[in-house]
Amino acid sequence: MVSAGSEDATEDLRKAAGALKTQALDQESPPADQAQVLNKMAKYQVPQRSGDIVMIQSEHTGGIDVLSADLESADLLGDHRKVSPPLMAPPCIWTFAKMKEFKSKLGKEKNSRLVVKRGEVVTIRVPTHPEGKRVCWEFATDDYDIGFGVYFDWTPVTSTDITVQISDSSEEEDEEEEEEEEIEDPVPVGDVERGSRSSLRGRYGEVMPVYRRDSHRDVQAGSHDYPGEGIYLLKFDNSYSLLRNKTLYFHIYYTS
């Protein structure tokens, strides 16, 4: 025999169970408006190529979301687009034959002569000068040729002092700069015989690649108009030589 109180309690439990079941079904099935939006979004394709853009407009708020293939896929909103340095204008280069006079003059001046040892790369860092408009260089070597190239570091200039950096090879030099500057995306190093593509990366621009120059026969000279504020990297590359050191005579200056 069941009392009236027990029957009421049983009915209350049935109603509660029915309400929970209805709530669960509502959570499993999205509202009609939401389902319609999801169906429309499913028609759009994720941009695949650089430059592809997809625009999605919300029917509720009117806001527009833009998806671009140039954005990082891991975090579309958090990561910034990688920007390559601007292309550099070509330099003016020439040679002249007054080798003895050139060496004799620079041999008497301080800091105008150095020895690039076998397997070494010497980088002369030349900041842009506020009173100058272009950088100029002249160099020669004794008896043998040497690799030479020019690059530009788009970085604020804090000092106009010219400095010299020596490394055992171009690859080691790039590794040191990568550790100091935390630059990503290395570019493979080429052959000095055919003109190496610098493995400097990120904010560095190439004025002229490293080629072997006949600096033992004629004085090598050139100039380049300032592209903006930054530091020129003049590279004298003897990494390909396993036996011979190279005596280098150089003159670097700016003009207005």
Side-chain angles (χ1 to χ4, degrees):
M1 183 174 181
V2 180
S3 63
S6 298
E7 291 179 354
D8 293 339
T10 302
E11 184 66 20
D12 291 338
L13 288 175
R14 289 176 179 175
K15 291 181 180 180
L20 290 174
K21 184 176 180 180
T22 301
Q23 183 179 0
L25 290 174
D26 290 340
Q27 291 178 351
E28 292 176 359
S29 302
D33 293 343
Q34 183 178 355
Q36 186 178 3
V37 172
L38 292 175
N39 289 335
K40 288 185 177 181
M41 291 182 65
K43 297 179 182 179
Y44 293 102
Q45 295 182 354
V46 176
Q48 300 294 331
R49 297 172 300 176
S50 178
D52 288 351
I53 294 178
V54 171
M55 303 178 65
I56 301 177
Q57 184 173 13
S58 171
E59 295 184 357
H60 298 281
T61 64
I64 296 177
D65 293 329
V66 178
L67 300 181
S68 172
D70 292 332
L71 298 178
E72 295 289 342
S73 58
D75 184 2
L76 293 176
L77 298 178
D79 294 342
H80 297 286
R81 184 178 304 176
K82 296 181 179 179
V83 180
S84 300
L87 295 177
M88 311 298 297
C92 295
I93 56 176
W94 63 93
T95 63
F96 57 91
K98 296 182 179 181
M99 179 75 74
K100 291 183 180 180
E101 295 86 341
F102 181 76
K103 291 182 179 179
S104 176
K105 178 182 178 181
L106 293 185
K108 300 175 184 178
E109 296 182 4
K110 186 179 180 181
N111 299 326
S112 295
R113 176 183 173 185
L114 57 84
V115 175
V116 185
K117 295 182 179 180
R118 58 188 178 89
E120 283 187 347
V121 177
V122 170
T123 301
I124 301 180
R125 302 174 64 87
V126 186
T128 54
H129 198 280
E131 298 179 0
K133 292 184 178 180
R134 70 182 57 88
V135 64
C136 303
W137 60 84
E138 301 169 344
F139 69 92
T141 53
D142 285 339
D143 302 325
Y144 306 103
D145 63 6
I146 195 168
F148 176 73
V150 181
Y151 302 88
F152 190 80
D153 182 0
W154 293 89
T155 186
V157 174
T158 58
S159 172
T160 57
D161 294 339
I162 296 176
T163 59
V164 177
Q165 176 183 352
I166 301 176
S167 61
D168 291 338
S169 69
S170 58
E171 293 182 2
E172 178 179 322
E173 182 182 40
D174 295 330
E175 290 175 359
E176 291 175 355
E177 293 188 2
E178 180 178 10
E179 292 175 359
E180 294 176 0
E181 306 295 344
E182 296 182 355
I183 304 173
E184 300 178 352
D185 296 337
V187 178
V189 178
D191 186 354
V192 179
E193 299 282 351
R194 296 174 297 175
S196 67
R197 312 303 295 184
S198 173
S199 59
L200 300 178
R201 35 210 176 268
R203 69 177 187 229
Y204 295 88
E206 181 181 78
V207 177
M208 57 188 295
V210 174
Y211 278 98
R212 291 178 67 170
R213 317 284 175 170
D214 291 332
S215 50
H216 60 304
R217 297 177 180 172
D218 297 299
V219 178
Q220 308 292 311
S223 67
H224 188 258
D225 292 343
Y226 289 173
E229 181 183 10
I231 300 175
Y232 281 95
L233 309 178
L234 279 64
K235 290 185 170 292
F236 296 92
D237 192 334
N238 197 33
S239 61
Y240 58 89
S241 181
L242 301 178
L243 301 175
R244 299 185 178 95
N245 299 334
K246 310 292 174 65
T247 301
L248 174 68
Y249 304 82
F250 63 94
H251 180 210
I252 300 171
Y253 56 99
Y254 70 86
T255 63
S256 57

